[in-house]
């Protein structure tokens, strides 16, 4: 990024009230990482920070305190209760057993939460496996949780306990001893990653906490696979902020930005809304109707091969393309998506651009070949894709 461009950002962000339309315009063409500019812009574009700068410090303090409150209520207190109970009763009786169907069992919510937690755990351990970042320890582990005075069950411990329990239960119930343990069936089993020494936390554990608290606070949607792919780039961006005062609060800030972003895209994750106007089916159809407008030949070819948008566009749209590109490219695409004032209309154009950029291959390919192209998208130059999407936007 040229010093001039960085200066443009600094000027807009230097005003007492940030001019949102100017900021959007700048961000749309990509945000410099320098000086924490991207982290700051994302927080404004995702409605976490207000436009009046004078309000920033009080708002941040309030939100970060609120997040600590969530940690205490949803992770620490249940963990303490569990630890205290464990002291007096190591031999868990049936009435207190995870398989007890009685909804009034005092552990019912606890165990229900564990099911969600195990799903989250499985997904966050696999975040961006080609990068070491998520396996590395954070410089700012959560002291509330790692406080040695706290004799309570952490999420990591809960996962280990639950996994062990489900193994023994499976064994006792069927009388067979070689029931494959959940530990062995997932490729990323606990043993495969070094467990960090006490007092350390890996970045994926922070992401796990963010998702767990989100699931507890939003029981209507809880946790759906794929949310980890939305939280990953946000957290990575904030946790690598060059400004350490901000970086230290990456967890809380990510949580609120993620919550705001989910408020805009959560309908994509809710199955019952699939066919409504806000649901994902409608958006997938929109990709095809836009394609039909822009490139009828390609549209007819895909139709003729019966390649439905849900075969590929479901993932593209739901996960905001986070699975199709490398993380730095995803982050660059998100600069434009977050800057879009129509909120993700531009995403439909990006999907269209992705199709038109491989039109020659698609026009020549058969069903199998084309499905492979769309499931594993070949072009990795995101600047080319964004430029094409912008052309489509301007030709409307």
């Amino acid at each position: 990024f040229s010093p001039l461009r960085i200066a443009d950002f600094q000027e807009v962000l230097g005003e007492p009230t940030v001019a949102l339309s100017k900021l959007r315009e700048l961000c749309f063409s990509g945000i410099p990482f320098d000086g924490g500019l991207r982290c700051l812009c994302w927080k404004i574009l995702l409605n976490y920070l207000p436009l009046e700068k004078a309000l920033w410090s009080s708002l941040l303090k309030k939100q970060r305190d609120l997040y600590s409150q969530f940690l205490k209520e949803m992770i620490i207190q249940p963990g303490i209760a569990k630890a205290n109970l464990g002291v007096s009763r190591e031999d868990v009786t049936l009435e207190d057993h995870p398989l007890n169907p009685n909804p009034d069992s005092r552990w019912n919510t606890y165990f229900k939460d564990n099911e969600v937690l195990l799903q989250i755990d499985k997904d966050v351990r696999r975040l961006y496996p080609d990068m070491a970042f998520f396996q590395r320890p954070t410089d700012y582990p959560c002291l509330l949780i790692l406080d040695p005075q706290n004799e309570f069950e952490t999420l990591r411990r809960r996962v280990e306990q639950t996994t062990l329990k489900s193994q023994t239960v499976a064994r006792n119930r069927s009388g067979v001893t070689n029931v494959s343990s959940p530990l062995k069936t997932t490729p990323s089993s606990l043993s495969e990653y070094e467990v960090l020494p006490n007092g350390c936390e890996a970045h994926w554990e922070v992401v796990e906490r963010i998702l767990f608290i989100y699931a507890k606070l939003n029981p209507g949607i809880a946790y759906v696979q794929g949310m980890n792919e939305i939280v990953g780039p946000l957290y990575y961006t904030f946790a690598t902020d060059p400004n350490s005062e901000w970086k230290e609060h990456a967890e809380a800030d990510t949580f609120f930005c993620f919550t705001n972003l989910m408020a805009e895209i959560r309908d994509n994750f809710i199955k019952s809304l699939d066919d409504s106007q806000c649901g994902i089916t409608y958006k997938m159809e929109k990709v095809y109707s836009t394609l039909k407008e822009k490139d009828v030949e390609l549209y007819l070819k895909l139709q003729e091969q019966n390649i439905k948008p849900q075969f590929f566009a479901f993932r593209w749209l739901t996960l905001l393309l986070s699975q199709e590109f490398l993380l730095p490219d995803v982050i660059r695409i998100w600069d434009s998506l977050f800057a879009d004032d129509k909120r993700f209309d531009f995403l439909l154009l990006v999907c269209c651009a992705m199709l038109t950029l491989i039109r020659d291959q698609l026009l020549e390919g058969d069903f199998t070949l084309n499905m492979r192209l769309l499931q594993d998208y070949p072009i990795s130059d995101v600047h080319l894709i964004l430029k094409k999407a912008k052309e489509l936007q301007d030709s409307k």
Side-chain angles (χ1 to χ4, degrees):
F1 282 93
S2 68
L4 264 170
R5 200 161 149 63
I6 292 175
D8 288 343
F9 274 91
Q10 285 166 336
E11 188 186 337
V12 171
L13 293 167
E15 296 291 321
T17 301
V18 177
L20 187 59
S21 56
K22 266 191 199 157
L23 184 70
R24 281 189 193 282
E25 205 178 311
L26 278 176
C27 294
F28 187 79
S29 319
I31 310 170
F33 176 72
D34 313 64
L37 285 174
R38 173 175 281 130
C39 307
L40 187 53
C41 291
W42 278 18
K43 287 174 180 135
I44 296 169
L45 295 173
L46 291 171
N47 304 318
Y48 178 45
L49 285 178
L51 299 175
E52 291 78 31
K53 278 172 68 176
L55 303 174
W56 286 2
S57 60
S58 62
L59 175 117
L60 287 169
K61 183 177 177 343
K62 192 178 117 227
Q63 296 300 84
R64 289 161 179 176
D65 288 349
L66 177 62
Y67 187 74
S68 298
Q69 207 38 54
F70 292 156
L71 284 177
K72 286 179 189 147
E73 277 170 37
M74 288 167 220
I75 296 178
I76 296 176
Q77 282 159 5
I80 291 174
K82 178 77 168 48
N84 291 344
L85 191 96
V87 175
S88 53
R89 314 180 32 180
E90 250 333 316
D91 54 332
V92 179
T93 56
L94 176 70
E95 88 173 87
D96 223 24
H97 198 282
L99 291 180
N100 176 8
N102 177 6
D104 302 330
S105 148
R106 60 184 296 184
W107 291 114
N108 199 41
T109 21
Y110 184 85
F111 292 123
K112 268 222 165 39
D113 290 348
N114 278 358
E115 286 167 33
V116 176
L117 179 59
L118 280 185
Q119 183 59 58
I120 294 175
D121 189 76
K122 212 162 71 203
D123 294 345
V124 292
R125 285 171 188 268
R126 299 191 199 131
L127 264 179
Y128 292 96
D130 48 343
M131 287 176 58
F133 172 80
F134 286 97
Q135 306 305 328
R136 288 206 185 113
T138 161
D139 300 337
Y140 302 102
C142 177
L143 300 177
L144 276 173
I145 285 187
L146 294 179
D147 175 3
Q149 301 302 304
N150 276 341
E151 271 304 306
F152 79 92
E153 194 174 45
T154 58
L155 289 187
R156 187 202 292 184
R157 204 84 192 97
R158 253 174 100 158
V159 169
E160 288 164 11
Q161 287 297 323
T162 310
T163 317
L164 288 171
K165 273 234 182 64
S166 58
Q167 274 172 267
T168 41
V169 169
R171 198 170 298 143
N172 303 346
R173 295 218 110 194
S174 56
V176 186
T177 37
N178 64 351
V179 177
S180 72
S181 78
L183 279 174
K184 292 202 181 62
T185 47
T186 55
S188 49
S189 69
L190 300 173
S191 57
E192 244 176 70
Y193 291 128
E194 278 168 74
V195 172
L196 296 171
N198 275 346
C200 288
E201 272 191 317
H203 287 294
W204 66 261
E205 293 186 75
V206 182
V207 176
E208 175 164 273
R209 247 197 323 267
I210 292 170
L211 286 166
F212 182 71
I213 289 178
Y214 178 82
K216 291 281 291 169
L217 287 171
N218 296 276
I221 183 171
Y223 172 75
V224 181
Q225 214 169 358
M227 288 181 182
N228 54 316
E229 308 293 349
I230 301 282
V231 106
L234 286 175
Y235 174 72
Y236 174 82
T237 301
F238 296 162
T240 53
D241 192 325
N243 179 340
S244 59
E245 282 160 59
W246 289 88
K247 184 173 165 177
E248 187 181 341
H249 297 286
E251 181 175 349
D253 293 350
T254 301
F255 172 80
F256 290 108
C257 287
F258 171 68
T259 301
N260 291 357
L261 179 53
M262 279 305 296
E264 300 187 29
I265 62 171
R266 60 181 284 171
D267 295 348
N268 296 345
F269 286 90
I270 300 177
K271 239 188 156 30
S272 57
L273 288 178
D274 276 1
D275 298 320
S276 69
Q277 262 214 311
C278 50
I280 188 74
T281 312
Y282 177 77
K283 292 177 185 138
M284 290 189 294
E285 295 302 336
K286 195 110 167 66
V287 171
Y288 265 24
S289 57
T290 311
L291 181 67
K292 188 177 175 181
E293 246 170 73
K294 308 285 183 192
D295 189 339
V296 74
E297 187 188 358
L298 179 55
Y299 167 78
L300 290 171
K301 173 75 178 185
L302 295 174
Q303 286 290 55
E304 173 203 322
Q305 291 188 346
N306 204 11
I307 293 181
K308 296 182 166 29
Q310 45 270 45
F311 296 159
F312 60 93
F314 179 80
R315 188 176 73 191
W316 292 7
L317 294 166
T318 308
L319 303 182
L320 307 181
L321 296 169
S322 60
Q323 284 275 279
E324 313 315 310
F325 302 98
L326 294 170
L327 187 58
D329 293 333
V330 172
I331 288 171
R332 168 61 194 91
I333 292 172
W334 285 17
D335 288 345
S336 297
L337 293 185
F338 295 167
D340 171 21
D341 59 346
K342 298 224 174 26
R343 272 324 196 213
F344 310 118
D345 271 11
F346 188 65
L347 177 59
L348 301 174
L349 294 170
V350 174
C351 294
C352 255
M354 286 168 69
L355 294 171
T356 54
L357 285 171
I358 55 170
R359 76 184 300 269
D360 297 349
Q361 290 153 277
L362 290 170
L363 290 172
E364 277 168 31
D366 59 8
F367 176 85
T368 316
L369 211 66
N370 286 346
M371 281 300 294
R372 200 172 305 145
L373 277 173
L374 295 166
Q375 296 272 333
D376 187 8
Y377 189 75
I379 296 178
S380 58
D381 182 352
V382 295
H383 296 281
L384 188 66
I385 294 166
L386 290 167
K387 185 169 167 258
K388 181 74 189 160
K390 182 82 181 92
E391 282 167 22
L392 293 175
Q393 188 180 47
D394 295 341
S395 71
K396 275 207 158 166

